[in-house]
Amino acid sequence: LRSASMGSVLSVPERPAVPEGKTRICVAGFGVSHNSGMAQKLARKIYDLHSDQYEAFFYFESMDFKNFLGKVKAEEGWVESSFEKTAPEGVKTCTNFKDHGSSPLVWLELPGGKKEYIGGRDFFCDWAGKKFKDEKEIVELAGGDTPFAEPSFGDIWFDNKAQVLSGPAPALAKPE
């Protein structure tokens, strides 16, 4: 696991303007978190399979996440109609942008500076499972029929580098 050393925090990668025809999936959260891990893996999979349509932004910093969260939420361009969510019956989770204070925060950035709130890992899994309903790899990673179920403890291990992924995804290794 990577973390900032001696009380310093990692720098936040610049998020350049989103090119026309693309959507950037943004995931920010604690550097050690099974929810952040699952969201990162899912966003990375979407990017790997659809880099012609999607980019990805990741920022994972346990010491500075709450500060970063406040800054991102104060940015301009948020589509307010995306701020309220409805959780399935019996599921306790944050359902609105204003109160979101947990890790991770997932949002979409669109051309023209617009931002759409997705929610936490649970609403992101729900969104991805519906958006890519015919893609087995994504649906399975998103939790299948149970996107609001807790991820496994093994999801705490993930690539928690701060980075922006843009352009064609590297070719995926194919078994021989």
Side-chain angles (χ1 to χ4, degrees), residues 36-155:
S36 292
M38 185 177 207
Q40 185 276 342
K41 291 171 186 174
L42 181 56
R44 178 62 198 234
K45 179 59 73 178
I46 293 168
Y47 168 75
D48 285 345
L49 296 176
H50 298 283
S51 63
D52 59 325
Q53 300 169 50
Y54 288 91
E55 296 183 342
F57 165 84
F58 301 119
Y59 180 69
F60 302 105
E61 175 53 71
S62 294
M63 292 174 47
D64 195 50
F65 171 66
K66 294 288 185 173
N67 182 46
F68 176 79
L69 179 65
K71 288 178 182 176
V72 167
K73 288 171 70 174
E75 290 178 359
E76 294 186 11
W78 288 100
V79 176
E80 290 187 25
S81 62
S82 69
F83 286 5
E84 296 293 326
K85 307 292 177 189
T86 302
E89 190 172 327
V91 173
K92 289 188 147 205
T93 188
C94 180
T95 58
N96 68 79
F97 178 78
K98 183 181 129 237
D99 295 333
H100 191 118
S102 61
S103 172
L105 172 68
V106 182
W107 72 99
L108 302 177
E109 291 183 347
L110 308 165
K114 297 288 183 207
K115 297 175 187 73
E116 291 183 11
Y117 172 66
I118 296 295
R121 185 267 321 147
D122 45 10
F123 280 106
F124 179 46
C125 287
D126 185 55
W127 174 86
K130 290 174 181 172
K131 177 84 174 166
F132 301 97
K133 65 181 185 267
D134 296 326
E135 298 189 43
K136 184 179 177 187
E137 284 183 89
I138 293 174
V139 170
E140 285 179 1
L141 211 60
D145 293 335
T146 57
F148 285 84
E150 280 295 309
S152 74
F153 183 74
D155 286 312

